[in-house]
RNA sequence: GCGCCCGUAGCUCAAUGGAUAGAGCGUCGGCCUCCGGAGCCGAAGGUUGGAGGUUCGAAUCCUCUCGGGCGCGCCA
């Protein structure tokens, strides 16, 4: 029986209270291992209900409770110190268990425009999205990752024009690059790639446009995939905006909204009454020139995910600068009969630093550090982990020089070092002849209860949709291990067998977290 | 002006409504005859921006207020 149920039952019997009238209480870890392992602050609420002092309540409960633990009443708290045998049983069971939730989930992230390389500004969203996907795959019936390719619209047109101009320059034409064209060097690379494969001047206008529209864009998408792979992000679905348009989803959205009386025409445009769903102003769906707004196409895309592919929940990892889209997207999906199926993870901005100076980023001038360059400089693991060192709600200062250093400032080494140390112990050849008795010390108990909280920590990470919580859990686990390692010997100890098992479980559990985080499990460093 | 995020140690950040608010960096002082010292231990450092409120209990929830960030297009 769980501690929670034991306490409930004891309370009911001791104070003659029906089970359903017992106030809610938590089972939590004590702030200090010296107080015990688990704490149940049940005395406070009951004290009021029973008109009794909190410590009187807990004292009576403590006297009544028995099980594989010692129990202490301190103020309103019941403090449980679990028996060594109880911990040994837990150790034998293992700790890696996930909460289970029903449903099919789709996580969309990065979705950088295919008009330029993935740059460091996309990095945080990419890593957050990929870790969320790994986690959700363990928790939900189905979870898939998706990259939405904005391969239609004005930006792509301008991109194609930029490539074309560079092609003509390569062919020897003397042309100026207009200011509002894409300036980056990579445009020249694409132009060169095309020139190497096609006899440009022999193509008709239509053929040229098709090459730009298809080949140049496909090449960008391939580059995106390659860049993301380098930082350990492998996105399953790449969905094209062109396909969403081709399949008539935008028209369907307009049709559905009109049928519900939620769309109207004004000033030659078609508007959605989003104000009826909490938005602060109505939104244009179809511009007066007949073109669809980006907003309409995005709504259409979400409708496609829900209705065509049958996802129960769609998660979007967006930069904080997309805050304005949340209300209107919610509004549209509610209007279309899918309320509360969209969850937006807003990831706050990252500021990149180098030796105390901000890293300049200007897309216009084509000056930006690409994700490739970052990964090349500091490595995949350091890049991934650094992006996860703050909760998604907090802005992140990413100092590239610090992340490159192999020092404690850099949590990736701290965590990996703990893993290596543990691995190293198990690599020793030895004969273990001692039995399975044990007395766990404070450091071991600290590590044990951290391991034991695996499922709960995962539950919290899912609820908050924040991979930062996995990173911080991994860090705490590494911390607990370093302390254990420092204070207790494994090999040659009186409790060698049990400690050996503890190290194995630690490796198994931390390894699971490293897998989720997409960080290498090093054996040596 | 409106909406969202953030104000916690010198700096960067943690903390399910619970006990004495914790880490890293920086500063000062210790620990390898010993499974890897990329580690560990200790010291110093706090009116959790401010004011009210809810609660047995608030960094956490509510109201107001002051600072900082982001966003408020028939752009994408």
């Amino acid at each position: 029986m769980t501690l929670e149920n034991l306490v409930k039952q004891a309370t009911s019997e001791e104070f003659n209270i029906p089970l359903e009238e017992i106030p809610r209480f938590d089972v939590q870890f004590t702030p200090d291992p010296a107080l015990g392992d688990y704490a149940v602050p049940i005395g406070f609420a009951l004290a009021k209900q029973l008109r009794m002092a909190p410590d009187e309540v807990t004292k009576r409960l403590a006297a009544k409770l028995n099980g594989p633990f010692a129990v202490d009443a301190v103020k309103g708290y019941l403090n449980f110190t679990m028996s060594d045998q109880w911990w040994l049983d837990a150790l034998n069971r293992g700790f890696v268990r996930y909460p289970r939730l029903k449903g099919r989930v789709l996580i969309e992230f990065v979705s950088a425009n295919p008009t330029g390389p993935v740059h460091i500004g996309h990095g945080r969203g990419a890593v957050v999205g990929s870790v969320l996907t790994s986690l959700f795959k363990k928790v939900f019936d189905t979870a898939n990752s998706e990259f939405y390719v904005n391969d239609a619209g004005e930006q792509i047109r301008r991109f194609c024009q930029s490539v074309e101009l560079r092609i003509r320059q390569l062919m020897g034409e003397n042309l100026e690059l207009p200011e509002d064209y894409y300036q980056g060097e990579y445009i020249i690379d694409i132009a060169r790639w095309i020139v190497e494969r096609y006899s440009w001047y022999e193509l008709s206008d239509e053929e040229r446009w098709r090459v730009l529209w298809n080949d140049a864009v496909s090449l960008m998408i391939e580059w995106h995939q390659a860049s993301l792979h380098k930082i350990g992000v492998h996105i399953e679905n790449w969905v094209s905006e062109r396909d969403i348009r081709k399949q008539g989803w935008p028209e369907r959205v307009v049709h559905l909204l009109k049928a519900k009386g939620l769309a109207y025409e004004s000033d030659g445009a078609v508007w959605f009454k989003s104000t009826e769903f909490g938005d602060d102003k109505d939104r244009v769906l179809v511009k007066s020139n007949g073109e669809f707004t980006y907003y309409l196409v995005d709504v259409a895309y979400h409708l496609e995910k829900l209705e065509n592919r049958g996802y129960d929940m769609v998660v979007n990892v967006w930069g904080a600068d997309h805050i304005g889209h949340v209300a209107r997207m919610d509004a549209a999906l509610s209007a279309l009969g899918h309320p509360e199926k969209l969850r937006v993870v807003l990831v706050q901005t990252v500021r990149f630093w180098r030796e105390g100076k901000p890293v300049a980023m200007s897309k216009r001038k084509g000056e930006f550090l690409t994700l490739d360059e970052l990964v090349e400089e500091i490595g995949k693991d350091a890049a991934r982990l650094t992006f996860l060192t703050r909760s998604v709600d907090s802005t992140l200062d990413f100092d590239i020089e610090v992340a490159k250093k192999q020092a404690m400032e850099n949590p990736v080494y701290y965590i990996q070092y703990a893993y290596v140390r543990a691995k190293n112990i198990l690599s020793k050849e030895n004969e273990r002849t001692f039995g399975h008795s044990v007395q766990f010390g404070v450091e071991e108990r600290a590590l044990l209860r951290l391991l034991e909280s695996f499922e709960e920590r995962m539950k919290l990470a899912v609820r908050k949709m924040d991979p930062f919580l996995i990173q911080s859990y991994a860090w705490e686990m590494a911390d607990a291990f370093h302390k254990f390692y420092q204070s207790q010997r494994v090999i040659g100890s009186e409790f060698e067998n049990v400690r050996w098992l503890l190290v194995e479980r630690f490796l198994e559990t931390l390894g699971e977290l490293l897998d989720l985080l997409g960080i290498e499990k090093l054996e040596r460093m």
Side-chain angles (χ1 to χ4, degrees):
Chain A
M1 199 183 317
T2 61
L3 275 185
E4 186 181 351
N5 288 336
L6 273 176
V7 171
K8 255 187 195 160
Q9 201 175 43
T11 305
S12 174
E13 287 170 15
E14 180 69 22
F15 299 109
N16 253 319
I17 310 175
L19 282 172
E20 57 277 8
E21 282 176 31
I22 295 173
R24 287 186 56 84
F25 60 89
D26 293 325
V27 177
Q28 54 199 208
F29 290 117
T30 59
D32 179 355
L35 291 167
D37 295 313
Y38 290 97
V40 177
I42 192 174
F44 302 109
L46 273 177
K48 205 179 177 198
Q49 194 170 327
L50 297 169
R51 298 180 174 200
M52 224 180 263
D55 61 332
E56 193 184 335
V57 175
T58 48
K59 270 181 187 131
R60 281 173 58 177
L61 287 175
K64 189 170 181 67
L65 282 160
N66 55 62
F69 47 70
V71 57
D72 233 1
V74 182
K75 292 186 277 187
Y77 297 95
L78 282 171
N79 289 340
F80 294 88
T81 304
M82 308 311 288
S83 69
D84 289 321
Q85 186 59 46
W86 188 88
W87 279 117
L88 189 55
D89 290 342
L91 202 49
N92 277 310
R93 278 195 305 274
F95 304 103
V96 177
R97 275 180 293 277
Y98 288 91
R100 297 286 310 164
L101 291 170
K102 292 257 163 241
R104 292 161 46 79
V105 183
L106 184 66
I107 303 122
E108 183 218 319
F109 54 103
V110 190
S111 299
N113 281 339
T115 53
V118 188
H119 57 82
I120 51 176
H122 296 114
R124 193 178 187 186
V127 174
V128 165
S130 72
V131 178
L132 269 187
T133 304
S134 306
L135 177 63
F136 283 8
K137 277 183 184 292
K138 303 279 190 178
V139 172
F140 288 94
D141 296 331
T142 305
N144 298 111
S145 53
E146 182 151 307
F147 186 117
Y148 179 48
V149 184
N150 294 122
D151 55 2
E154 199 47 44
Q155 302 285 349
I156 286 290
R157 185 171 301 276
R158 181 50 45 88
F159 165 77
C160 290
Q161 286 168 342
S162 305
V163 175
E164 187 197 18
L165 189 136
R166 289 300 195 180
I167 290 171
R168 291 170 63 188
Q169 283 181 334
L170 284 176
M171 303 300 285
E173 294 187 42
N174 190 11
L175 296 165
E176 285 281 314
L177 184 66
E179 218 176 80
D180 56 346
Y181 276 38
Y182 287 94
Q183 307 286 314
E185 287 285 314
Y186 64 94
I187 298 286
I188 302 173
D189 295 337
I190 297 170
R192 195 170 291 126
W193 185 91
I194 288 173
V195 166
E196 280 165 12
R197 281 163 186 77
Y198 296 96
S199 308
W200 191 248
Y201 287 135
E202 289 167 25
L203 301 179
S204 68
D205 284 354
E206 195 188 317
E207 285 167 333
R208 285 178 188 174
W209 190 252
R210 199 180 317 129
V211 167
L212 294 169
W213 188 253
N214 292 328
D215 295 32
V217 172
S218 308
L219 189 61
M220 281 308 315
I221 294 170
E222 278 174 36
W223 286 358
H224 282 181
Q225 290 174 334
S227 300
L228 290 170
H229 287 172
K230 282 181 195 158
I231 197 171
V233 173
H234 304 275
I235 300 180
E236 294 160 290
N237 305 334
W238 292 68
V239 171
S240 152
E241 180 187 342
R242 291 176 193 170
D243 290 339
I244 297 295
R245 287 173 181 262
K246 226 177 289 171
Q247 291 161 17
W249 290 95
E251 288 87 346
R252 180 169 161 76
V253 168
V254 174
H255 174 78
L256 286 171
L257 290 176
K258 276 186 173 167
K260 291 176 188 237
L262 293 169
Y264 61 94
E265 296 195 18
S266 172
D267 301 330
V270 181
W271 298 71
F272 164 45
K273 288 188 195 170
S274 56
T275 45
E276 291 197 8
F277 297 88
D279 199 0
D280 51 6
K281 58 178 92 162
D282 287 350
R283 303 291 165 181
V284 173
L285 298 171
V286 184
K287 301 185 217 173
S288 51
N289 65 8
E291 284 176 17
F292 300 147
T293 58
Y294 176 83
Y295 169 59
L296 170 59
V297 182
D298 213 15
V299 171
Y301 165 49
H302 283 81
L303 193 69
E304 190 275 336
K305 297 186 208 180
L306 292 166
E307 293 195 347
N308 188 39
R309 287 186 278 159
Y311 284 102
D312 303 301
M313 177 164 82
V314 292
V315 177
N316 291 351
V317 179
W318 281 348
D321 55 342
H322 284 65
I323 179 65
H325 298 282
V326 177
R328 70 191 70 159
M329 194 57 86
D330 275 338
L333 293 180
S334 297
L336 291 165
H338 300 284
E340 290 171 24
K341 289 194 179 170
L342 173 67
R343 291 287 302 269
V344 176
V345 178
L346 277 186
V347 180
Q348 290 293 323
T349 358
V350 183
R351 287 177 309 203
F352 289 90
W353 302 82
R354 199 186 272 287
E355 287 161 355
K357 287 187 186 149
V359 175
M361 299 262 288
S362 160
K363 205 166 188 178
R364 234 314 135 252
K365 294 188 203 148
E367 283 179 77
F368 39 75
L369 197 57
T370 63
L371 204 53
D372 285 351
E373 288 165 330
L374 179 74
V375 173
E376 228 163 85
E377 186 172 346
I378 73 173
K380 182 197 78 170
D381 289 345
R384 286 184 71 91
L385 204 77
T386 304
F387 278 123
L388 297 172
T389 50
R390 298 286 178 270
S391 77
V392 291
D393 286 340
S394 287
T395 55
L396 166 62
D397 283 307
F398 192 131
D399 192 314
I400 296 170
E401 298 301 325
V402 169
K404 201 162 47 172
K405 274 194 255 176
Q406 307 203 347
M408 243 316 293
E409 301 165 73
N410 192 343
V412 68
Y413 295 102
Y414 187 73
I415 296 171
Q416 284 180 324
Y417 185 44
Y419 192 88
V420 168
R421 276 181 145 178
K423 205 75 189 175
N424 193 50
I425 293 172
L426 300 193
S427 71
K428 304 293 176 195
E429 291 281 337
N430 74 318
E431 281 179 30
R432 304 195 302 285
T433 52
F434 293 102
H436 280 80
S437 71
V438 70
Q439 266 180 298
F440 291 116
V442 276
E443 290 85 2
E444 285 160 300
R445 279 169 181 266
L447 180 55
L448 279 165
R449 64 190 206 174
L450 209 50
L451 292 167
E452 175 68 10
S453 62
F454 184 91
E455 186 172 0
E456 196 176 328
R457 299 291 286 253
M458 292 305 107
K459 201 184 285 178
L460 190 64
V462 171
R463 199 175 76 225
K464 298 222 167 178
M465 294 199 181
D466 194 346
F468 158 76
L469 295 169
I470 299 174
Q471 182 275 140
S472 58
Y473 183 36
W475 191 91
E476 286 174 49
M477 212 181 272
D479 184 49
F481 183 79
H482 283 307
K483 283 168 183 164
F484 158 71
Y485 182 93
Q486 205 76 29
S487 66
Q488 314 281 355
R489 280 191 67 82
V490 175
I491 292 167
S493 115
E494 182 186 355
F495 308 125
E496 181 172 313
N497 264 328
V498 172
R499 287 188 181 155
W500 186 278
L501 177 62
L502 175 59
V503 174
E504 283 179 331
R505 289 304 190 206
F506 166 73
L507 279 168
E508 180 182 289
T509 314
L510 181 62
E512 184 76 13
L513 295 181
L514 293 177
D515 286 345
L516 286 174
L517 295 170
I519 296 200
E520 299 304 319
K521 292 173 288 190
L522 301 179
E523 311 235 337
R524 272 184 302 278
M525 52 194 290

